[in-house]
Amino acid sequence: MQKENYGKKIFVMTHASDMDGIGSAALIRMRLNVPIENIFFLNYTVPKLEYASQQILKHAKEGITLFITDTGINSSHIMQYKKLFLELKRHGGKIFWIDHHHWEEDAIKEVASMCDIAIVGENKNMCAAEITAKILGFNDAFVNELLKITHTFDFHVMNLKDKRMKRIGDIYDACFTYYGHMPTEMYTSKLRRLVGVISSKKLYDSKWVEDADRFDRINKKRIKKLLDDLYFPGKNIVLGFATFVRTNDVSDAMMKKTGRDIAVYISTENGTGHMRSVKANTIPIAMRFGGGGHPHATGFQVNLKEYNNFKSKEDKEKFAKELGSAEGS
Ligand SMILES: [Mn+2]
């Protein structure tokens, strides 16, 4: 497609939590000169979608083009997308959705059908950045390297001996975790900066590394504190509480310290529960708390009010008891 056909005023909503989303937005910004303040980030939660929609709708009257990249759709968010799209279309807006995740039938029928272009549904070979690069006709050394990185992390096909790739992955991962817990406006400006760095053809910059290092220090300190206050529900579970930390790091540390097979960490700031195991299938336990996931990596939501935000030892023990009985059942 000719550059002009994408429209004059372009906005992007992209997936916030990994390089595929950031890379996709950067490619669109590079090719179509999208101002950084026109880029917004989604994480499958309603508040982020609402924030982005509200900001973008301020410009609806100008007849804008909206790109949505690297994000699928929850059936429960269909109404919100439809509302946004109807308003954009009413003013002659265009919508392009580029994704590679699984889409439910109803989402395809109701939402993809409203888009001018929708390349959506599961794609096992290409990540969103690769599809975006193909559509926009990129073929240069920097973009090819970027795509190698987004593909590697998105499809979990990393060569563990590749030290450079591992270092890049750690830097990215630390910042996405760090920023993911910031208030929406700060989160948006931090992520926009990353899009800016990538679109200036750098894989990262010194500020990016600084933030990653800062998060690593916070992460380590909090894990250390968590390890001093562990709970042992059931036969095989170790449980700890912390303000957000990196789940894989904290789980490994808890298992290593105690020799138990199932590590559960509760984020006391938002009540999310994160469970990891080496051997056990944790899905039945997660389901008892209304959660789910993969056998060795599950999540669930705890009602913080019910436990007074886990401020006291008694409240932590109360939850430990329930977790123990869930394991036993
Ligand atoms: Mn992706």
Side-chain angles (χ1 to χ4, degrees), residues 193-205:
R193 215 192 66 81
L194 305 192
V195 172
V197 171
I198 298 288
S199 47
S200 71
K201 299 206 166 199
K202 278 186 282 187
L203 290 174
Y204 54 85
D205 66 355

Side-chain angles (χ1 to χ4, degrees), residues 230-239 250-264 276-280 320 323-324 327:
L230 291 175
Y231 298 79
F232 299 93
K235 287 191 291 289
N236 216 2
I237 303 178
V238 51
L239 166 69
V250 75
S251 309
D252 289 350
M254 283 195 275
M255 289 173 181
K256 208 173 143 201
K257 183 169 175 182
T258 65
R260 291 204 157 199
D261 182 56
I262 303 173
V264 180
R276 296 286 186 273
S277 74
V278 178
K279 293 186 211 121
L323 194 61
E327 185 200 21

Side-chain angles (χ1 to χ4, degrees), residues 15 18-21 24 44 69-71 99-101 126-129 150 153-155:
H15 184 213
D18 61 35
M19 235 12 237
D20 195 21
S24 302
Y44 293 93
T69 43
D70 192 36
T71 195
D99 185 38
H100 67 129
H101 298 99
M126 289 169 95
C127 63
T150 57
F153 295 142
D154 235 54
F155 290 99

